[in-house]
Amino acid sequence: VYTLGKYGKGLKWTREAAINDDLSAFTRILPMMGTMGAYLEDDVAYAILTANAAMADTVPLFDAAHGNVGTGAISVVALGAARAALRLQRHLDGTTFLNLTAKNLIVPAAIETVAEQFAGSAWDPAATIANVPNPFANKFTIIGQPRLDATSATQWYLTCDPAVFDTVEVCFLEGEPAPVVEQEEEFDTDAIKVKVRHQVAAKAIDWRGMYRSTGA
């Protein structure tokens, strides 16, 4: 269960200030406020991963009871365990295998280069002999996300395609999928007021399509 949250900011300045704005500082405010509203969407979405709050079954999103946690830095072994965990997830009936295919490798900025290097290598970097194939070469979409670094610079996540199976859902007010920016002039003073409003929420819909590793 979740509900939309309303976020907003507002500014006000005199008409004289706007007229004498030689550096166009005030005219840049509106698009900048809109951009910050878009950043908010990522803040809300990735907070779901880092908070690791309890699901409806009272178990945290990432937990051994959900079969979606593991250890190890990015490697063939660690990613093999992660991929297998997604494949082995079962449907609500507890019997049917979902056989989910891993698609996105989500990493903090601290290890984004390492992730790209590994995913782009035709050979296993950890192999002790030459020319051992890397089974995960070009298999995943690498998503570098600095919002993860504040919680851990090593933890990484492997997820399935959200179009195939629910993961984290980001929702908006119907008819307002983007930040709404409005401007008006006060009748008595000619002062200019602007505001940006964004109504957005995020929620982990299902744990089965997501996996987290400690990265160590």
Side-chain angles (χ1 to χ4, degrees):
V1 177
Y2 59 108
T3 58
L4 289 171
K6 185 174 77 170
Y7 306 85
K9 289 286 185 180
L11 288 174
K12 174 181 175 180
W13 58 87
T14 65
R15 179 175 177 81
E16 290 76 15
I19 291 174
N20 292 288
D21 182 19
D22 296 332
L23 298 178
S24 300
F26 292 115
T27 58
R28 296 174 56 216
I29 287 176
L30 285 175
M32 291 172 68
M33 291 176 74
T35 299
M36 291 303 296
Y39 289 157
L40 173 67
E41 296 171 13
D42 279 351
D43 290 340
V44 172
Y46 284 99
I48 298 296
L49 299 185
T50 57
N52 196 30
M55 302 286 287
D57 61 357
T58 71
V59 178
L61 170 60
F62 298 104
D63 192 272
H66 285 161
N68 64 350
V69 291
T71 61
I74 293 173
S75 66
V76 170
V77 173
L79 282 169
R83 180 170 68 172
L86 292 179
R87 293 247 189 243
L88 291 168
Q89 290 288 0
R90 297 175 187 258
H91 213 286
L92 294 176
D93 60 12
T95 302
T96 306
F97 284 107
L98 292 173
N99 194 25
L100 299 174
T101 300
K103 176 180 173 64
N104 300 312
L105 179 57
I106 306 172
V107 299
I111 59 172
E112 182 177 4
T113 301
V114 171
E116 290 178 336
Q117 197 171 39
F118 176 86
S121 174
W123 312 110
D124 181 1
T128 56
I129 58 176
N131 299 334
V132 176
N134 176 9
F136 298 109
N138 302 310
K139 283 288 182 72
F140 307 129
T141 299
I142 307 298
I143 301 175
Q145 181 48 249
R147 289 166 178 80
L148 301 176
D149 290 73
T151 300
S152 172
T154 61
Q155 284 183 353
W156 50 267
Y157 304 80
L158 192 65
T159 70
C160 70
D161 187 343
V164 174
F165 196 81
D166 287 330
T167 54
V168 173
E169 182 174 80
V170 180
C171 302
F172 309 96
L173 182 66
E174 185 175 3
E176 293 187 7
V180 175
V181 181
E182 297 177 327
Q183 176 177 327
E184 68 175 23
E185 290 187 16
E186 288 186 345
F187 178 79
D188 295 331
T189 65
D190 289 329
I192 299 170
K193 297 192 294 185
V194 299
K195 71 174 182 181
V196 59
R197 178 185 69 248
H198 201 20
Q199 298 185 85
V200 59
K203 187 70 173 179
I205 305 301
D206 204 307
W207 67 82
R208 296 171 179 86
M210 298 182 284
Y211 177 96
R212 186 189 72 187
S213 172
T214 60

